[in-house]
Amino acid sequence: MSTHYDVIVIGGGPAGYPAAIRAAQNKLSVACIDEWQNFDGSYAFGGTCLNAGCIPSKALLESSELFQRAQHEFATHGIQVGEVKLDLAAMQRRRAAIVKTMTGGILAVFKSNGVVGIQGHGRLLAGNQVEVTAPDGTKTLISAKDVVLASGSTPIRLKTVPHDGKFIVDSWNALEFDAVPKRLGVIGAGVIGLELGSVWRRLGSEVTVLEAMDQFLAVADQTIAKEAQRHFKKQGLDIKLGAKVSSAAVAGDLVNVVYVDKQGEHTLQVDKLIVAVGRRPFTEGLLAADSGVELDARGFIQVDEHCRTSVPHVWAVGDVVRGPMLAHKGKEEGVMVADLIAGLFAEVNYKVVPSVIYTAPEIAWVGQTEEQVKAGGRAYKVGSFPFAASGRARAMEAGQGMAKIISASDDDEILGIHVIGPMAGELIAEAVLAMEYSASTEDLQRTIHAHPTLSEALHEAALAVDKRAIDAINR
Ligand code: FAD
Ligand code: NAD
């Protein structure tokens, strides 16, 4: 291992590893240090997203949805499959194999780009020196002209709900359950609560979700949130709003949860309890006292819009800095920083970061919600199109949800696009591209969309903005 590099990246998750690869593509010498250790003791690049987040959760969402559809939908298609049985061990082996392939892929891409991957803990010292502690405890000093901090985030724990990793668990534990809990409690009806609640509900758990806020999915457009709440209720997710958990305790093989809502105090008994109340930036052991890097009041590393920290030539990207905790946001920041280090032009357009919730139906959006536009005071118009009127959605037995477009009344600028329905997470890419290029609603209206596709819903919603939808009644 050499001791000096052009760039050292601390953290090999979806923010750090793309920074390392792009820096190497920019002909810089690069080392990427990562300490991620799996439950089986193995080390792996890829961070939360690949090992314990985006990828394993999507693997289980896919498998559990197929299980659900085989039970309840195949017959509608005229397919008789007999009794559908769950082999959870096989489902979990598939999840683990996908993760292993994807994390192994990072090493292959590192190798082909000449990135030096170092397994161990990195600590930034003054003067752009980095102390690396190898898994066997050996310490080495390396240095670089530029250092990129990409140490990510970790689940928030609740003091009154003591985590034990067995009965009271976080999202990572909940991805690796080896049996379907009969009764599952989830604290937090956010993205994780809804995705993991859906997985285990589809596999047979009775799921109760306790959400402290009175409003469901407050971050989403409320037309979409209301539609989502209706579907989740029908699927059997028991979502209790305004429910503040006061304590949870393990007793034998059960968890007793006490929560308070407008009706008073309640107790809930579950077999497993997932705490999914958000994540916090992870900087433990990252910064020596004299590193000079500043944190904000909430523990995020302070950066400007180009991800520069308070120390020259030290950058920070991904979940450890302000903004949405999303893999694609971190990736763009990592790539931007690697280009800026190489003296190239780069920026991230934070106005068009898409959000996707991988439930069924999926929920996806980009730009402002109708509530945000209304609060901003700009005059606007809205168009929407139901998937019930989409031939392709009907053919897929997925005619639920809608696409909704909010545009400015004055210059027709698209302000926000919101989709709940089949493949919403894929459909939103067109919306992001349109907004990235500052498209007007008319631009979308004049763009040919193949028939019959789900994307026609976006086309028709754009037409509906001016009450010119063809395949639905204009209101
Ligand atoms: P991380 O992925 O957290 O990576 C940081 C890495 O740095 C880790 O490997 C850590 O071990 C390492 N590290 C930390 N400190 C040090 C140190 N001092 N020395 C060496 N290594 C260190 N986002 C999406 O966009 N789409 C999704 O579908 C999605 N699903 C998710 C599902 C779940 C269950 C969870 C928990 C998260 C999900 N996310 C999703 C969020 C996504 O995982 C994060 O936004 C993303 O992983 C952040 O990337 P990062 O590189 O900033 O941090
Ligand atoms: P979140 O912020 O999405 O949701 C947390 C929820 O918990 C909120 O609704 C909040 O009101 C509620 N809450 C907070 N404290 C509570 C309490 N004491 N009692 C009851 N409810 C409480 O956080 P998350 O679901 O933990 O996810 C963490 C991060 O991971 C998110 O920022 C998200 O961006 C990311 N993530 C993304 C995806 C995706 O992109 N599909 C999937 C999973 C996770």
Side-chain angles (χ1 to χ4, degrees), residues 354-391:
S355 296
V356 183
I357 306 177
Y358 296 85
T359 44
E362 279 184 5
I363 302 167
W365 70 90
V366 58
Q368 298 177 69
T369 62
E370 187 171 349
E371 293 73 28
Q372 287 168 332
V373 174
K374 205 178 270 174
R378 190 164 177 193
Y380 67 95
K381 44 191 183 168
V382 176
S384 63
F385 183 81
F387 281 104
S390 154

Side-chain angles (χ1 to χ4, degrees), residues 65-83:
E65 196 178 347
L66 285 177
F67 179 63
Q68 167 88 10
R69 290 174 68 185
Q71 284 177 305
H72 303 292
E73 193 185 303
F74 281 13
T76 317
H77 288 272
I79 304 170
Q80 301 293 340
V81 288
E83 193 192 350

Side-chain angles (χ1 to χ4, degrees), residues 34-84:
D34 191 276
E35 65 181 354
W36 185 277
Q37 199 174 8
N38 288 305
F39 291 132
D40 65 3
S42 61
Y43 287 85
F45 281 89
T48 307
C49 178
L50 275 81
N51 291 289
C54 326
I55 302 306
S57 62
K58 268 77 245 180
L60 289 185
L61 278 156
E62 192 66 31
S63 297
S64 60
E65 196 178 347
L66 285 177
F67 179 63
Q68 167 88 10
R69 290 174 68 185
Q71 284 177 305
H72 303 292
E73 193 185 303
F74 281 13
T76 317
H77 288 272
I79 304 170
Q80 301 293 340
V81 288
E83 193 192 350
V84 179

Side-chain angles (χ1 to χ4, degrees), residues 10-16 33-36 44 46-49 52-54 57-58 120-123 150-153 171 175 192 195-196 279 282 284-286 317-320 325-328 330 356 358:
I10 303 181
I33 309 163
D34 191 276
E35 65 181 354
W36 185 277
T48 307
C49 178
C54 326
S57 62
K58 268 77 245 180
H121 178 82
R123 190 162 75 108
S151 53
S153 64
S171 53
L175 287 164
I192 292 181
E195 289 187 357
L196 291 185
R279 296 176 62 84
F282 181 76
E284 274 88 323
L286 176 69
V317 295
D319 280 10
V320 79
M325 288 184 167
L326 295 172
H328 43 280
V356 183
Y358 296 85

Side-chain angles (χ1 to χ4, degrees), residues 103-292:
T103 55
I106 295 177
L107 287 179
V109 184
F110 271 5
K111 199 169 168 206
S112 75
N113 282 283
V115 173
V116 177
I118 303 172
Q119 247 125 21
H121 178 82
R123 190 162 75 108
L124 179 70
L125 314 180
N128 276 12
Q129 299 228 78
V130 174
E131 178 193 76
V132 181
T133 308
D136 66 4
T138 319
K139 290 192 191 302
T140 320
L141 266 194
I142 58 176
S143 60
K145 186 166 164 289
D146 285 271
V147 176
V148 182
L149 306 172
S151 53
S153 64
T154 190
I156 293 174
R157 303 255 197 256
L158 298 173
K159 277 202 187 84
T160 53
V161 185
H163 172 95
D164 67 1
K166 194 169 173 206
F167 297 102
I168 299 180
V169 304
D170 61 21
S171 53
W172 188 9
N173 306 123
L175 287 164
E176 306 207 0
F177 285 160
D178 56 11
V180 178
K182 185 168 177 324
R183 290 163 305 174
L184 174 67
V186 184
I187 307 183
V191 197
I192 292 181
L194 293 174
E195 289 187 357
L196 291 185
S198 296
V199 164
W200 295 107
R201 173 72 200 126
R202 291 169 192 165
L203 297 182
S205 296
E206 291 163 25
V207 179
T208 308
V209 185
L210 303 172
E211 166 59 48
M213 287 179 70
D214 293 326
Q215 194 177 21
F216 179 64
L217 265 186
V219 290
D221 185 281
Q222 284 304 293
T223 316
I224 304 294
K226 284 198 179 78
E227 174 84 6
Q229 195 177 2
R230 207 168 53 79
H231 288 294
F232 298 150
K233 192 173 174 194
K234 236 165 90 184
Q235 290 163 14
L237 282 181
D238 183 5
I239 301 171
K240 298 195 187 298
L241 298 177
K244 298 184 177 62
V245 175
S246 25
S247 71
V250 178
D253 282 353
L254 295 172
V255 187
N256 291 311
V257 187
V258 181
Y259 67 94
V260 180
D261 64 12
K262 280 189 191 119
Q263 280 78 48
E265 192 176 272
H266 309 265
T267 53
L268 173 75
Q269 207 164 60
V270 291
D271 301 287
K272 301 270 183 192
L273 178 66
I274 306 175
V275 179
V277 295
R279 296 176 62 84
R280 62 171 179 83
F282 181 76
T283 54
E284 274 88 323
L286 176 69
L287 305 167
D290 59 353
S291 74

Side-chain angles (χ1 to χ4, degrees), residues 292-471:
V293 172
E294 285 169 20
L295 307 184
D296 70 15
R298 294 165 61 212
F300 290 94
I301 297 177
Q302 227 157 25
V303 287
D304 67 9
E305 76 277 16
H306 287 119
C307 294
R308 289 187 179 90
T309 70
S310 44
V311 178
H313 295 285
V314 177
W315 314 71
V317 295
D319 280 10
V320 79
V321 303
R322 82 289 172 263
M325 288 184 167
L326 295 172
H328 43 280
K329 173 264 192 186
K331 179 181 187 182
E332 289 313 306
E333 288 180 337
V335 166
M336 168 180 75
V337 161
D339 281 347
L340 290 172
I341 289 171
L344 303 170
F345 169 81
E347 63 181 8
V348 171
N349 183 357
Y350 288 100
K351 283 190 184 154
V352 291
V353 179
S355 296
V356 183
I357 306 177
Y358 296 85
T359 44
E362 279 184 5
I363 302 167
W365 70 90
V366 58
Q368 298 177 69
T369 62
E370 187 171 349
E371 293 73 28
Q372 287 168 332
V373 174
K374 205 178 270 174
R378 190 164 177 193
Y380 67 95
K381 44 191 183 168
V382 176
S384 63
F385 183 81
F387 281 104
S390 154
R392 185 64 190 273
R394 287 279 184 182
M396 293 166 69
E397 200 59 38
Q400 305 159 331
M402 72 184 85
K404 170 177 172 178
I405 301 187
I406 306 157
S407 305
S409 300
D410 48 11
D411 63 0
D412 200 31
E413 180 191 358
I414 298 173
L415 303 175
I417 301 191
H418 305 266
V419 185
I420 175 166
M423 309 298 281
E426 300 295 331
L427 295 177
I428 208 66
E430 176 183 1
V432 177
L433 193 67
M435 290 186 69
E436 176 66 33
Y437 283 83
S438 305
S440 63
T441 317
E442 186 182 346
D443 291 325
L444 264 192
Q445 291 172 348
R446 292 186 184 279
T447 303
I448 299 178
H449 290 70
H451 177 75
T453 59
L454 298 171
S455 69
E456 287 173 294
L458 281 186
H459 188 214
E460 287 284 329
L463 290 165
V465 167
D466 292 320
K467 307 210 180 307
R468 291 165 72 81
I470 301 294
D471 289 324

